[in-house]
Amino acid sequence: IGIGGGLWSTGKAMAIYMIEHQSLIRKNVQNLQQYQDACTCTCQKETSQEEMDGGVDNGIKTLELGSGNGLLSICLAAVAQDLIGKLVVTDLEDHLELMEKTVRANPHIVNLDADNDDNTHEENQGEEKGSSKSSTNSINSRRRPRTLVKEHRWGEFETEEKDDEKFDFIIGSDVAYRDYLHEPLVRTLVHYSHPGTIALIGVTMIDTKPKFFHLLKENGFSYQRIPDEQMSPEFRGTTFGLFVIQRVH
């Protein structure tokens, strides 16, 4: 995952990790859901019509950074689609077409936000006409994350009123491969996280200098590398690393 929308080794490592550790991924996502629910009760958040109708807050909010082609978002949704309420897939503008294509190719896993109204209308018509009824019902019977594909340049944000959303889970691979990317990437992590946010970030240790990890600590994050024994054999004892990063204050 990364430059030019290609499949890079660290992205492959993360995708395999998600598939090989589905139970662990689901457990952690469920913990995030419980944290979100507890915060909602504590803050006595007003329930919107969207939430009452089964909207985006019935599940965790997930953000992918530097997606490239959308694969990691699809892998995560395949493992925990019933636990994710909203999934936002981001990268620079020139990658958006490929990312959207990936999302559109997986309607059984995710629900592209731009298609919501049109798909609902078409599916209802199909049911009335009796065409493709079984496949339509199969898709509709499974909860799919509301998914948005959008541009985000790290460290750059719209006005606070328009861009103050916080995410429970953030993923990204091959995102810290240049020194000049470290500060804007950390600014993005700070901006879109709350005190309970967890990020799963994949890096190549040769490219990612200690400065990145120092910046994480300075900005209120803790981090831990996933042990080699939990990685796929081809990625053990290599320079590829997956890090669990948590916002602690």
Side-chain angles (χ1 to χ4, degrees):
I1 312 298
I3 301 172
L7 179 59
W8 291 71
S9 296
T10 311
K12 180 182 177 183
M14 185 179 292
I16 294 174
Y17 178 83
M18 290 180 180
I19 301 304
E20 290 185 343
H21 298 278
Q22 296 185 38
S23 296
L24 180 60
I25 294 291
R26 288 184 59 83
K27 180 180 179 180
N28 283 307
V29 171
Q30 287 169 338
N31 289 340
L32 288 170
Q33 175 71 73
Q34 291 171 1
Y35 178 89
Q36 182 199 69
D37 291 343
C39 289
T40 298
C41 293
T42 301
C43 298
Q44 296 182 331
K45 187 177 71 174
E46 182 179 353
T47 302
S48 67
Q49 186 63 46
E50 183 177 32
E51 292 170 318
M52 291 188 291
D53 292 340
V56 301
D57 286 327
N58 292 331
I60 69 164
K61 294 181 179 180
T62 301
L63 172 69
E64 183 180 359
L65 300 174
S67 177
N69 61 16
L71 176 63
L72 288 183
S73 286
I74 296 300
C75 289
L76 177 62
V79 170
Q81 66 184 127
D82 57 315
L83 303 173
I84 301 172
K86 183 177 182 180
L87 176 60
V88 180
V89 192
T90 68
D91 208 324
L92 299 179
E93 184 178 8
D94 54 347
H95 297 317
L96 299 187
E97 182 178 354
L98 177 57
M99 290 154 53
E100 185 171 322
K101 184 177 180 180
T102 301
V103 171
R104 288 186 184 277
N106 291 275
H108 57 300
I109 297 175
V110 292
N111 184 16
L112 185 62
D113 187 62
D115 289 346
N116 283 353
D117 294 337
D118 292 341
N119 281 350
T120 300
H121 175 69
E122 291 173 4
E123 289 165 359
N124 287 340
Q125 280 191 333
E127 289 179 5
E128 292 170 2
K129 294 178 181 179
S131 61
S132 303
K133 184 174 181 179
S134 60
S135 61
T136 297
N137 286 343
S138 176
I139 291 177
N140 287 340
S141 67
R142 293 191 297 270
R143 173 175 167 177
R144 296 166 292 153
R146 175 192 171 204
T147 304
L148 294 85
V149 175
K150 61 186 296 185
E151 179 183 9
H152 173 61
R153 187 178 294 273
W154 301 336
E156 298 181 11
F157 314 100
E158 300 178 37
T159 59
E160 288 294 328
E161 292 78 10
K162 294 182 179 180
D163 199 12
D164 62 351
E165 186 169 23
K166 305 301 180 186
F167 292 86
D168 306 295
F169 192 29
I170 300 174
I171 61 175
S173 180
D174 293 289
V175 290
Y177 54 88
R178 294 286 186 272
D179 289 358
Y180 67 84
L181 295 174
H182 297 167
E183 290 188 8
L185 175 58
V186 172
R187 283 200 300 271
T188 283
L189 290 173
V190 170
H191 185 85
Y192 287 124
S193 64
H194 56 69
T197 296
I198 290 178
L200 181 61
I201 301 294
V203 301
T204 302
M205 301 306 295
I206 292 177
D207 297 333
T208 306
K209 303 298 189 295
K211 175 185 175 183
F212 174 65
F213 298 98
H214 294 157
L215 282 172
L216 287 174
K217 284 191 172 182
E218 289 173 5
N219 285 273
F221 294 94
S222 65
Y223 61 86
Q224 183 175 5
R225 185 174 181 176
I226 292 176
D228 256 13
E229 57 265 26
Q230 294 184 22
M231 301 292 291
S232 177
E234 67 180 292
F235 295 107
R236 295 175 188 170
T238 67
T239 60
F240 304 116
L242 301 185
F243 286 82
V244 177
I245 299 171
Q246 184 165 11
R247 177 84 177 267
V248 292
H249 60 79

